[in-house]
């Protein structure tokens, strides 16, 4: 879903709180207190930070709460400035332009059970799922939640209550990879449970690799990485559309999706971060530089996710 600021709701910041060191929550309400458009567990909104940047944040409150949205924002001094603006400039009472909720990480209805895996601020969409269960979860569930320390663990108190403790494993690695939690015993034996993982790229890749023998339909990932985020060795390339022969130059710092949209082309997309699968497109010529969490190894030669992936060859041809 392409977000335009004209289509945004003008929501008021009703309260600001601290969920952990460097993580702040913002409660958003309609200025007149009216009900907000409904959302489902795992949904996100795009907000316009006070500095004008558009940023996606998961809604972490219970979807049954109809009069408010709650987001949690981690301060990222090395980011592009959106989180700093939210932390330093967004204040109670201010209006925060906010999109309608969208969900690229929907909770599948199953009786088989859920395995939730969250790293750091990746807890937010999963917390909404857990909160939506209330006192009668539809299926057994277990949360594995990884952070550096208790001080940086958002919602620690809530997740440590006696009611939830049996279902929640919280592990602190002190920022040392050698102390990372070993997920292999959790994922070793595939089942019909659904795995939901949100967190840093390294965690999601580890889960994808360890879960390679699971049914891919049971693995769900959510990421808020920006599709055009540049890596040091990125270079421009050309994308050609097979149907029309039109060619577009994709510069460093922009995604194929960005460029095609700017050129007036319609491309189906949702998460725009390489996790939902909506933008899956056939790759007809050239070699892709895959950056998504969706494609399985046997699909990588002839498919590409234009919202995040780039090219290793000077030109690629895609089936659009
Ligand atoms: Fe979700 Fe590309 S839009 S994977």
């Amino acid at each position: 879903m392409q977000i335009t600021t004209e289509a945004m709701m003008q929501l008021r910041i009703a309260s600001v709180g601290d969920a952990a060191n460097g993580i702040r929550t913002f409660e958003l309400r309609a200025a007149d207190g009216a009900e907000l458009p409904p959302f489902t567990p795992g949904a996100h909104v795009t907000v316009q930070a006070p500095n004008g940047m558009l940023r996606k944040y998961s809604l972490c409150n219970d979807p049954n709460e109809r009069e408010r949205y709650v987001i949690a924002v981690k301060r990222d001094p090395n980011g592009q400035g959106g989180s700093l603006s939210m932390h330093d400039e967004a204040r109670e009472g201010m209006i925060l332009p906010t999109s309608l909720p969208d969900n690229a990480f929907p909770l599948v209805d199953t009786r088989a059970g859920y395995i939730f895996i969250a790293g750091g601020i990746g807890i937010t969409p999963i917390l909404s799922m857990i909160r939506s269960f209330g006192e009668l979860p539809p299926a057994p569930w277990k949360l594995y939640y990884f952070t550096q320390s208790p001080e940086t663990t958002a919602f620690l108190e809530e997740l440590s209550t006696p009611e939830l403790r049996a279902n929640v494993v919280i592990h602190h690695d002190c920022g040392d990879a050698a102390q990372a939690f070993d997920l292999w015993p959790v994922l070793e034996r595939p089942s019909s449970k659904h795995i939901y993982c949100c967190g840093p790229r390294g965690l999601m890749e580890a889960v994808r690799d360890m879960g390679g023998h699971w049914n891919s339909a049971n693995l769900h990932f959510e990421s808020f990485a920006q599709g055009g985020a540049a890596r040091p060795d990125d270079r421009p390339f050309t994308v050609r559309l097979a149907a029309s022969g039109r060619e577009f130059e994709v510069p460093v710092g922009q995604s194929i999706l960005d460029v095609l949209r700017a050129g007036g082309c319609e491309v189906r997309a949702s998460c725009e971060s390489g996790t939902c699968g909506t933008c899956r497109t056939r790759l007809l010529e050239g070699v892709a530089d895959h950056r998504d969490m969706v494609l399985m190894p046997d699909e990588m030669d002839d498919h590409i996710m234009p919202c995040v992936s780039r090219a290793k060859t000077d030109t690629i041809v895609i089936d659009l």
Side-chain angles (χ1 to χ4, degrees):
M1 183 170 68
Q2 190 168 15
I3 303 296
T4 57
T5 49
E6 297 78 34
M8 287 180 143
M9 299 177 282
Q10 301 299 308
L11 300 188
R12 188 175 59 84
I13 301 177
S15 66
V16 180
D18 286 313
N21 280 0
I23 300 177
R24 194 157 281 174
T25 56
F26 298 86
E27 179 192 24
L28 310 177
R29 292 181 181 263
D32 61 1
E35 282 194 357
L36 297 173
F39 68 97
T40 49
H44 65 267
V45 290
T46 297
V47 304
Q48 186 174 30
N51 68 355
M53 296 184 89
L54 296 178
R55 285 290 171 265
K56 279 194 212 174
Y57 296 109
S58 291
L59 298 174
C60 63
N61 57 311
D62 181 348
N64 294 305
E65 297 174 344
R66 298 298 310 277
E67 292 175 356
R68 64 177 197 151
Y69 298 152
V70 181
I71 59 172
V73 180
K74 179 180 177 184
R75 186 183 178 89
D76 181 3
N78 301 315
Q80 293 172 311
S83 72
L84 295 183
S85 172
M86 289 295 290
H87 272 248
D88 298 341
E89 300 169 68
R91 297 281 173 265
E92 197 173 311
M94 280 177 66
I95 296 297
L96 203 62
T98 304
S99 73
L100 289 171
D102 190 17
N103 199 339
F105 195 48
L107 190 64
V108 170
D109 186 13
T110 178
R111 299 292 167 267
Y114 303 97
I115 297 173
F116 298 120
I117 302 172
I121 193 67
I123 189 64
T124 49
I126 289 171
L127 188 63
S128 171
M129 294 174 177
I130 292 170
R131 284 172 164 168
S132 76
F133 291 162
E135 290 177 4
L136 285 176
W141 62 272
K142 188 104 184 175
L143 165 66
Y144 298 87
Y145 180 20
F146 308 132
T147 65
Q148 277 199 6
S149 65
E151 295 73 30
T152 57
T153 303
F155 313 107
L156 179 60
E157 205 172 308
E158 175 177 348
L159 292 169
S160 305
T161 57
E163 301 80 54
L164 294 188
R165 207 178 298 142
N167 288 339
V168 178
V169 175
I170 299 178
H171 177 80
H172 309 300
D173 65 7
C174 305
D176 176 4
Q179 296 186 48
F181 187 89
D182 180 10
L183 277 167
W184 180 241
V186 178
L187 302 175
E188 185 177 5
R189 259 183 279 161
S191 71
S192 47
K193 292 180 182 176
H194 282 257
I195 299 173
Y196 284 82
C197 177
C198 182
R201 182 91 193 171
L203 173 66
M204 293 198 292
E205 287 178 346
V207 170
R208 182 190 58 185
D209 294 347
M210 274 190 254
H213 55 308
W214 283 63
N215 181 345
S216 61
N218 289 38
L219 297 180
H220 311 269
F221 296 96
E222 173 79 315
S223 163
F224 293 100
Q226 296 297 303
R231 295 185 185 174
D233 53 354
D234 280 353
R235 56 193 182 87
F237 60 94
T238 300
V239 60
R240 187 185 313 142
L241 308 187
S244 62
R246 287 180 73 190
E247 292 192 347
F248 299 86
E249 179 85 356
V250 183
V252 172
Q254 283 192 46
S255 66
I256 299 172
L257 180 66
D258 292 336
V259 169
L260 295 185
R261 276 179 173 161
C265 303
E266 286 266 328
V267 185
R268 265 172 37 85
S270 178
C271 70
E272 302 186 20
S273 58
T275 54
C276 74
T278 305
C279 68
R280 180 192 300 258
T281 303
R282 282 182 59 81
L283 175 66
L284 303 176
E285 284 177 37
V287 179
D289 177 0
H290 295 290
R291 300 185 178 183
D292 61 274
M293 299 296 301
V294 175
L295 295 177
M296 301 310 272
D298 61 346
E299 299 175 302
M300 289 182 171
D301 284 348
D302 54 7
H303 287 84
I304 188 168
M305 311 306 288
C307 66
V308 288
S309 295
R310 299 183 64 81
K312 289 182 178 167
T313 43
D314 291 339
T315 301
I316 55 171
V317 182
I318 60 175
D319 190 16
L320 284 178

